[in-house]
């Protein structure tokens, strides 16, 4: 009996030792994450978050990252791309200001997004060279050299004894879908899945956890409203995790659709934010080194309200420095607007009308003008309209293109818009289009009239649009069937400024140009 007692004691001590051993081997890792920062240096009103309280901004993110890293050294901060293009300071410096600010944001690694290519890929390389944090991409190549456009597909980083293999990729489809053709001429985006498998294999045995920073999926809805179904928006991420085993964590961007509750697919934890610095996600992981498994995760996902977080003073200085540099351009007042110029992804919008009308006004001998909803990035407030606001609203260096297109191809073009994957086409005066969302994609357009006459499939029309759309951007590939193509080299933004200057007071209305039935 006595020996049994000793045996029991021995077993108890042993099991205690084992459990304390495995507990000791449970390691904490905190991952802060963002995506689609889009140069939102300053807090701003996002109507669907709050009509009165500003959210986001780099100075608030900098404070939170510093705070988190100071309170817990096992903290990393990742971003999944699209930091360029948004409020004017990015466009006017071709991203330079953004890289400078990000150098002080406490980032450990980021993936390159499509908008990093908005000023051409040579500019991408030029600006990336100024980054003091790793920018990762492993599947966009330069055709001539066969080398990656940027030098790093992945890095290995050790945190709390956990070896992280951090890979950066861009969805091939998303890349071609949402970059302007001429900006990426000479590049070759290759299948992300093939390269993901390759890099995971290369990292085998050298790392404990695989973190994928990726930019892919359906583009973010550009609307003054919010986004919809999170799982639907991240379908591409869910599928990728299903197809490629071995990804422990995926930080993803492009759909602008946040994950208050992380998605889990095939054991991969998938996280993302709603873009524009609205949130700084925080994912706390427990990793068991013994079993090589993430045993638990907790996601903290809150709106970053400006009135709750103090500004980082160093970041404020950087922001001021860049704003001052471009002040003489951005402060110029163009006109006064009687109402806010808002955006919509599914219907006519006042900002969409302005862009299309301005383009047609620059080349009045044409039938009508159209522009993509995805190109409208920020509302313009009522009251004084400045050049800075217009750049922020339309931050692309796109030019006006004149096309001659067959009516049947134009019908197809309106159908693609009505499919809503990339948003409806915003149209100039003279267009009346309506569609029925309950009908299948490709058969939704109910009515198209040009200057009061139904669209004739056999007639040729003179159409004005952006070089982005004319080259087939946002899936509008039917523009490539144009019978004539003339790039005027006039920037759309310049046409907007010129057009608005004609008005002492701009008083736009919704006129029934693009209607959802
Ligand atoms: Fe994107």
């Amino acid at each position: 009996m006595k020996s049994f007692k000793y045996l029991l004691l021995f077993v108890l001590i042993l099991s205690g030792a084992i459990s304390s051993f495995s507990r000791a081997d449970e390691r904490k890792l905190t991952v802060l994450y963002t995506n689609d920062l889009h140069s939102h240096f300053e807090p701003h009103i996002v109507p669907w978050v709050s009509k009165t309280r500003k959210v986001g901004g780099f100075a608030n993110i900098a404070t939170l990252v510093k705070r988190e890293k100071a309170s817990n050294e096992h903290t990393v901060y990742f971003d999944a791309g699209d930091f360029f293009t948004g409020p004017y300071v990015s466009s006017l410096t071709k991203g330079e200001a953004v890289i400078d600010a990000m150098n002080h944001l406490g980032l450990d690694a980021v993936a390159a997004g499509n908008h990093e290519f908005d000023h051409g890929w040579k500019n991408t390389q030029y600006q990336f060279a100024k980054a003091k944090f790793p920018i990762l991409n492993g599947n966009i190549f330069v055709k001539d050299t066969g080398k990656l456009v940027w030098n790093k597909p992945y890095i290995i980083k050790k945190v709390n004894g956990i070896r992280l293999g951090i890979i950066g990729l861009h969805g091939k489809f998303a890349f071609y879908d949402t970059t302007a053709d001429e900006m990426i001429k000479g590049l070759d985006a290759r299948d992300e899945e093939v390269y993901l498998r390759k890099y995971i294999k290369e990292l085998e045995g050298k790392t404990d956890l695989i973190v994928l920073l990726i930019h892919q999926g359906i583009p973010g809805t550009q609307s003054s409203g919010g986004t919809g179904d999170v799982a639907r928006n991240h379908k591409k991420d869910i599928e990728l995790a299903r197809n490629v085993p071995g990804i422990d964590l995926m930080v993803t961007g492009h759909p602008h659709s946040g994950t208050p509750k992380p998605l889990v697919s095939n054991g991969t934890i998938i996280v993302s934010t709603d873009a524009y610095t609205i949130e700084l996600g925080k994912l706390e992981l427990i990793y068991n080194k013994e079993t090589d498994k993430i045993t638990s995760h907790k996601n903290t996902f809150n709106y970053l309200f400006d009135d709750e977080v103090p500004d980082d003073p160093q970041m404020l200085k950087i922001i001021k420095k860049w704003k001052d540099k471009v002040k003489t351009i951005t402060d110029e007042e163009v006109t006064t607007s009687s109402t806010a110029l808002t955006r919509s992804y599914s219907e006519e919008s006042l900002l969409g009308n302005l862009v299309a009308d301005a383009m047609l006004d620059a080349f009045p001998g044409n039938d009508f003008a159209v522009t993509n909803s995805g190109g409208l990035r920020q509302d313009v407030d009522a009251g004084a309209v400045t050049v800075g606001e217009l750049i922020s609203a339309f931050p692309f260096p796109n030019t006006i293109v004149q096309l001659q297109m067959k009516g049947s191809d134009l019908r197809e073009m309106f159908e693609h818009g009505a499919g809503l994957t990339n948003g409806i086409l915003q149209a100039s005066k003279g267009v009346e289009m309506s569609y029925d969302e309950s009908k299948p994609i490709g058969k939704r357009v109910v009515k198209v009239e040009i200057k009061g006459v139904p669209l004739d499939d056999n007639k040729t029309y003179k159409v004005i649009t952006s070089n982005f759309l004319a080259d087939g951007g946002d899936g509008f590939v039917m523009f490539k069937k144009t019978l004539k193509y003339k790039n005027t080299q006039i920037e759309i933004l310049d046409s907007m400024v010129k057009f608005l200057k004609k008005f002492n007071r701009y008083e736009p209305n919704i006129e029934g140009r693009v209607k959802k039935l």
Side-chain angles (χ1 to χ4, degrees), residues 498-515:
K498 225 174 176 183
F499 177 68
L500 282 177
K501 277 186 177 168
K502 293 183 179 178
F503 299 86
N504 257 331
R505 190 178 158 81
Y506 184 59
E507 294 178 340
N509 285 303
I510 292 295
E511 299 166 2
R513 298 180 190 183
V514 181
K515 273 192 285 196

Side-chain angles (χ1 to χ4, degrees), residues 11 30 64 95 125 156 196 237 338 351 358 416 455 511:
V11 167
T30 299
L64 290 182
Q125 293 177 321
I156 299 173
L196 178 58
D237 303 312
S338 61
L351 189 58
H416 177 68
L455 183 80
E511 299 166 2

Side-chain angles (χ1 to χ4, degrees), residues 36 38 81-82 113-115 170 178 215 219-220 253-256 377:
D36 302 276
H38 283 298
D82 271 8
N114 53 296
H115 283 291
H170 202 301
T178 48
H215 202 86
H254 197 55
H256 299 191
R377 310 299 288 200

Side-chain angles (χ1 to χ4, degrees), residues 197-211:
R197 286 178 200 277
K198 173 178 144 69
Y199 296 135
I200 289 178
K201 209 163 176 207
E202 283 176 27
L203 288 166
E204 220 173 63
K206 296 178 194 150
T207 58
D208 300 306
L209 293 176
I210 294 287
V211 179

